[in-house]
Amino acid sequence: MYAIIESCGKQYKVAEGDVVFFEKLDVEEGKKVTFDKVILVSEEGKVQVGNPYVKGVKVEGKVVSHGKGKKIIVFKMKAKKNYRRKQGHRQPYTKVEITSIKTAAKKEETKAASAKAESKKVAEKAEA
């Protein structure tokens, strides 16, 4: 199962257990982050495409760390004009581990499972 999500003005293909580098997010390390702008979901060969987003689907992840990428050099030059500018840049990023992709079908399954467990507890209390 995988999904394509939109975040920070870019699109990312993610699956459960993947570690993805997003542009800097304002979330502390160790906290959960939820992406609800899901463009496409593929589950067991079934593909759902949103218009523009798929409804009822969320991707959850855990922020692992923050950091900066490799340094790139921006060098501007105009020939024969003695114009040279050298500048470096390091893009900040947030490292996120994708923990789950929640679809509407999975939500219904978890609700049904919790309802069964609750009904068992009520039945056990009634017997006792």
Side-chain angles (χ1 to χ4, degrees), residues 26-80:
D26 291 331
V27 182
E28 294 178 22
E29 290 184 19
K31 298 281 185 174
K32 280 188 172 183
V33 63
T34 303
F35 303 100
D36 56 348
K37 293 184 177 181
V38 179
I39 297 170
L40 179 139
V41 176
S42 175
E43 182 177 16
E44 299 171 7
K46 296 178 185 176
V47 177
Q48 292 180 326
V49 180
N51 187 11
Y53 305 114
V54 181
K55 293 181 181 175
V57 179
K58 292 186 179 183
V59 176
E60 292 183 345
K62 179 184 168 189
V63 175
V64 178
S65 65
H66 297 287
K68 289 186 180 182
K70 281 187 164 181
K71 181 177 251 188
I72 62 164
I73 304 298
V74 181
F75 187 75
K76 299 178 182 179
M77 181 185 136
K78 295 193 179 181
K80 302 174 191 166

Side-chain angles (χ1 to χ4, degrees), residues 12 19-25 27 29 63-70 90-96:
Y12 299 90
V19 175
V20 185
F21 292 86
F22 291 98
E23 288 190 20
K24 180 83 171 169
L25 299 174
V27 182
E29 290 184 19
V63 175
V64 178
S65 65
H66 297 287
K68 289 186 180 182
K70 281 187 164 181
R90 292 181 68 189
Q91 185 68 31
Y93 67 82
T94 301
K95 187 176 178 181
V96 177

